[in-house]
Amino acid sequence: SQTIHQWPATLVQPVGSPLSLECTVEGTSNPNLYWYRQAAGRGLQLLFYSVGIGQISSEVPQNLSASRPQDRQFILSSKKLLLSDSGFYLCAWTVGNGGPSYGYTFGSGTRLTVV
Amino acid sequence: GNSVTQMEGPVTLSEEAFLTINCTYTATGYPSLFWYVQYPGEGLQLLLKATKADDKGSNKGFEATYRKETTSFHLEKGSVQVSDSAVYFCALSPGTGRRALTFGSGTRLQVQP
């Protein structure tokens, strides 16, 4: 069966420090991968999505970046965190060649607090 | 572009009350519609989905019907439990293009014993 792993679960980082969040998927090949952010008390904002290795699409211009070095690995990074980067970050995957009816499976999330 | 609008919360109900959370959408083509649930401190879980007009998704006593004429996908449950307390997100996946989910802002449900 397919599983998605996301870590760390909780992170407290000072302003200006770097960030690396990792997400891996098991039990499937060539998934579509997504990073979402959920700010406190708000909905989910799509940050990045990827349909294949090295293919990254950015939805929101900001100081975050994403990379997909392997088929089932998706990394969210920042060189210098801002206070506004605080939030709950969720990784998700869906079937790569599937149609719109395929649901998404989400990781358990990383709660990032920038201090 | 695509968008999803949900009723604002929190919604506070007593146990065994009837629940409705409204959701309307704007999309081109023929999107699929989803409800996700987020329990405190956790990620999102798929609750139910519907892929075409007049489809009814159901799971754990929750139901939602894909109404193309009113562009709605309202979530209902006949008798809520304390364990249903969570944040509920309506979402759509467009019929074409990149297929990233577009979410509503979420509705917090609080069920009191």
Side-chain angles (χ1 to χ4, degrees), chain B residues 27-78:
Chain B
T28 55
Y30 302 94
S32 292
L33 301 174
F34 304 83
W35 276 101
Y36 282 83
V37 58
Q38 184 180 32
Y39 298 101
E42 299 183 10
L44 274 70
Q45 302 174 25
L46 178 64
L47 181 59
L48 53 85
K49 69 177 182 181
T51 60
K52 60 182 187 296
D54 299 326
D55 265 3
K56 177 185 283 188
S58 61
N59 186 24
K60 299 180 181 180
F62 291 89
E63 293 182 340
T65 302
Y66 188 163
R67 301 289 189 196
K68 192 168 179 63
E69 63 276 13
T70 55
T71 62
S72 65
F73 193 54
H74 304 322
L75 182 68
E76 296 181 336
K77 186 174 185 182

Side-chain angles (χ1 to χ4, degrees), chain A residues 36 38 59 96 98 100-101 104, chain B residues 36 38 49 51 89 94 99-101:
Chain A
Y36 283 85
Q38 183 179 25
E59 292 294 303
S101 64
Y104 286 40
Chain B
Y36 282 83
Q38 184 180 32
K49 69 177 182 181
T51 60
F89 291 92
R99 293 196 293 115
L101 282 175

Side-chain angles (χ1 to χ4, degrees), chain A residues 32 34 36 38 41-44 46 49 59 88 90 94-109 111, chain B residues 30-32 34 36 38 41-46 49 51 87 89 93-96 98-106 108:
Chain A
N32 285 359
Y34 305 84
Y36 283 85
Q38 183 179 25
R42 302 177 67 178
L44 283 87
L46 177 65
Y49 71 97
E59 292 294 303
F88 192 48
L90 289 159
T94 190
V95 175
N97 295 322
S101 64
Y102 281 84
Y104 286 40
T105 301
F106 283 83
S108 54
R111 185 161 303 283
Chain B
Y30 302 94
S32 292
F34 304 83
Y36 282 83
Q38 184 180 32
E42 299 183 10
L44 274 70
Q45 302 174 25
L46 178 64
K49 69 177 182 181
T51 60
V87 181
F89 291 92
S93 177
T96 59
R98 56 176 169 77
R99 293 196 293 115
L101 282 175
T102 297
F103 285 89
S105 57
R108 181 175 300 279

Side-chain angles (χ1 to χ4, degrees), chain A residues 11-46:
Chain A
L11 193 59
V12 180
Q13 292 284 97
V15 168
S17 64
L19 173 73
S20 180
L21 303 181
E22 188 163 344
C23 172
T24 60
V25 181
E26 296 178 358
T28 188
S29 296
N30 196 31
N32 285 359
L33 297 172
Y34 305 84
W35 278 110
Y36 283 85
R37 177 171 63 196
Q38 183 179 25
R42 302 177 67 178
L44 283 87
Q45 178 187 37
L46 177 65

